[in-house]
Amino acid sequence: MENTASHSTAASPNLERRIKRQAWAPEHQLFATCAPGLEPLAAAELTSLGFRQVESLAGGAACAHRLDGLYGANLWLRCAGRVLLRLKDFRVHTWEDLPRQAAAIPWEVWLKPGAPLKVLVSLRASNLKHTGRIAEEVLAGASTRLAGLGLAPPTAALPQASDPAMVMVRGHERRASISLDSSGAHLHRRGYRLDPGQAPLREDLAAALLLLCGYGGNEPLLDPMCGSGTLAIEAGLLARRLPPGLGRAFAFQDWPCHRPATWDFLVRTAQKQALAAPPQPIYARDLAAKALHSARANAQRAGLEGSLILEQADFFEAAPPPCPPGLMVINPPFGKRLGSVRQARAFAQDLGRKLKSDYAGWRVGVVLYRPEWEELLRLRPLARLVAPHGGLTVTMLCGQV
Ligand SMILES: C[S@@+](CC[C@H](N)C(=O)[O-])C[C@H]1O[C@@H](n2cnc3c(N)ncnc32)[C@H](O)[C@@H]1O
């Protein structure tokens, strides 16, 4: 990846030197967080982006790379939540270790002077206690460091602050780590879904269902109950090789060490290699005209105007689309949030019947709010994962009709 000069033209030569040495020269430990259950998919995504020694861990996937890799991960990851950069990992003997280690971090490279900072602490069987005090110590360490360099210290972010710089402290047994969030708003916030419609599927989970089903854009896709279009839009981005992060801002763009030219190069390269159209058709259908209206508006915002075939149709009445069998993805209108359990069960049963009668040869990826409904669909299971979604636990199933 390209290496270009920092944007901080006003930065002192000293700071420039530190930026090179601390931020751009070394490899960093990166951790892509994701919803529990999606870890193998997040790890597979990192691997296919070219990261090496990727490790799937609880809550995400780890790898090491220079800073341009962190930019690329933010731009390209489809089912991750955030990309964290490990600033320090140390043994904790006494309380004094925490402020000392925190003050040794070159914060001047990572934090805009005077910026609001939120410190989140999680402890597991840790010899550190008192999350509030830990957060204060880390903030104090950063302040000491910056004040020593004549820079404005960070301020504690107010609870209502939107997307402040965020530091995560993790304590486990006798070790602690301090990481910096590079993403800002959660990565599922691609920026295209201003119109959420009814019971939408979160964008990272929609991408996860597609990846679980092995979708790469080279087969027809149908979402027969598309709602606001999330699954079809994520499929469109995948099929056209468009990165999900193209239309949004990231926390790293505020870092003193940020190199806009490096970022622009990544974005331009991504745009150049994108396909002008999906190789195979992507159908998004729904019963409700209102749903199609929001799907169309969301698709336009995602840059997919003309890439999706939007049709108003009742799944139980309409014929399959005029294409060979491919992948069908469904986030059906059932579950605790929509209708009664009895209605939902009957709906799942009808769905299974319709699939058997009209969709032989199709693979189906479906979001199930109750695992026992799987048998009503009568699919031959190929893959599944269980993930939290909107306060519920959902099963994502991929099966063959
Ligand atoms: C849970 S929503 C889908 C949400 C969508 N995945 C999203 O992220 O916005 C279910 C959708 O199924 C549609 N629907 C319900 N019954 C249908 C039917 N028989 N044929 C087609 N669409 C139907 C509803 O109008 C609704 O938009």
Side-chain angles (χ1 to χ4, degrees):
M1 289 183 207
E2 212 183 36
N3 235 14
T4 39
S6 162
H7 77 305
S8 40
T9 44
S12 69
N14 247 345
L15 180 56
E16 279 302 343
R17 227 172 293 127
R18 280 198 205 126
I19 283 174
K20 264 192 205 141
R21 212 177 45 232
Q22 308 279 359
W24 286 95
E27 284 211 329
H28 300 279
Q29 294 299 318
L30 308 180
F31 188 73
T33 70
C34 64
L38 269 51
E39 294 93 342
L41 293 175
E45 277 201 277
L46 282 172
T47 304
S48 74
L49 289 173
F51 290 89
R52 276 170 291 127
Q53 291 172 341
V54 175
E55 216 185 332
S56 172
L57 299 167
C63 62
H65 207 283
R66 294 233 277 264
L67 222 47
D68 54 350
L70 171 139
Y71 285 15
N74 274 295
L75 181 63
W76 281 102
L77 285 176
R78 297 178 196 276
C79 60
R82 303 183 172 283
V83 182
L84 308 180
L85 176 126
R86 174 72 52 85
L87 295 174
K88 224 14 158 199
D89 181 38
F90 50 95
R91 234 180 124 75
V92 182
H93 297 285
T94 67
W95 256 111
E96 284 62 48
D97 290 329
L98 191 62
R100 192 171 48 76
Q101 294 281 359
I105 292 170
W107 294 101
E108 67 279 11
V109 160
W110 306 113
L111 292 183
K112 214 161 60 177
L117 179 66
K118 185 170 172 179
V119 183
L120 295 177
V121 181
S122 70
L123 304 174
R124 192 158 56 92
S126 170
N127 59 347
L128 287 170
K129 306 278 179 265
H130 312 301
T131 53
R133 182 171 168 202
I134 294 168
E136 278 168 22
E137 295 284 11
V138 170
L139 193 68
S143 302
T144 307
R145 170 84 184 193
L146 292 177
L149 294 168
L151 297 167
T155 53
L158 297 171
Q160 68 271 27
S162 67
D163 302 328
M166 207 154 62
V167 160
M168 276 83 169
V169 183
R170 295 198 67 206
H172 179 44
E173 296 176 348
R174 293 183 168 275
R175 292 200 77 78
S177 66
I178 301 178
S179 301
L180 179 63
D181 167 48
S182 71
S183 304
H186 193 282
L187 290 178
H188 85 263
R189 295 187 189 281
R190 324 279 204 225
Y192 64 72
R193 199 168 69 188
L194 301 183
D195 199 343
Q198 187 194 25
L201 191 60
R202 226 172 56 191
E203 295 85 334
D204 53 336
L205 295 177
L209 179 61
L210 293 162
L211 295 174
L212 181 78
C213 296
Y215 180 71
N218 292 318
E219 61 187 326
L221 184 123
L222 165 65
D223 179 353
M225 301 179 192
C226 71
S228 61
T230 320
L231 279 160
I233 292 170
E234 291 297 319
L237 294 174
L238 254 160
R240 288 192 45 202
R241 321 265 183 269
L242 282 163
L246 214 49
R248 54 161 279 164
F250 298 92
F252 65 76
Q253 290 171 299
D254 279 337
W255 294 351
C257 64
H258 174 49
R259 289 179 169 170
T262 303
W263 174 243
D264 292 346
F265 174 75
L266 285 183
V267 168
R268 270 199 320 274
T269 309
Q271 281 164 332
K272 260 191 243 155
Q273 58 78 60
L275 304 180
Q280 292 288 330
I282 297 174
Y283 293 92
R285 294 177 165 181
D286 203 287
L287 192 59
K290 197 162 166 272
L292 288 166
H293 184 265
S294 60
R296 186 166 291 111
N298 289 332
Q300 264 171 13
R301 272 187 291 270
L304 294 175
E305 205 173 358
S307 293
L308 311 182
I309 302 162
L310 294 152
E311 297 173 338
Q312 190 171 0
D314 182 335
F315 176 66
F316 299 104
E317 303 289 328
C323 61
L327 175 67
M328 182 190 307
V329 278
I330 323 178
N331 174 208
F334 54 58
K336 282 188 195 152
R337 287 178 296 176
L338 299 166
S340 74
V341 171
R342 200 160 49 82
Q343 279 170 329
R345 202 188 136 76
F347 193 96
Q349 213 153 19
D350 292 347
L351 204 57
R353 257 186 237 122
K354 180 72 177 171
L355 291 174
K356 261 280 173 285
S357 68
D358 290 14
Y359 288 89
W362 285 73
R363 258 168 28 266
V364 178
V366 61
V367 183
L368 292 170
Y369 294 88
R370 288 193 169 217
E372 65 269 24
W373 287 333
E374 181 175 331
E375 67 186 61
L376 303 176
L377 298 178
R378 300 192 280 166
L379 299 169
R380 181 163 59 80
L382 300 170
R384 72 163 63 69
L385 66 80
V386 175
H389 180 43
L392 306 169
T393 299
V394 299
T395 300
M396 294 201 191
L397 170 75
C398 175
Q400 185 74 47
V401 177

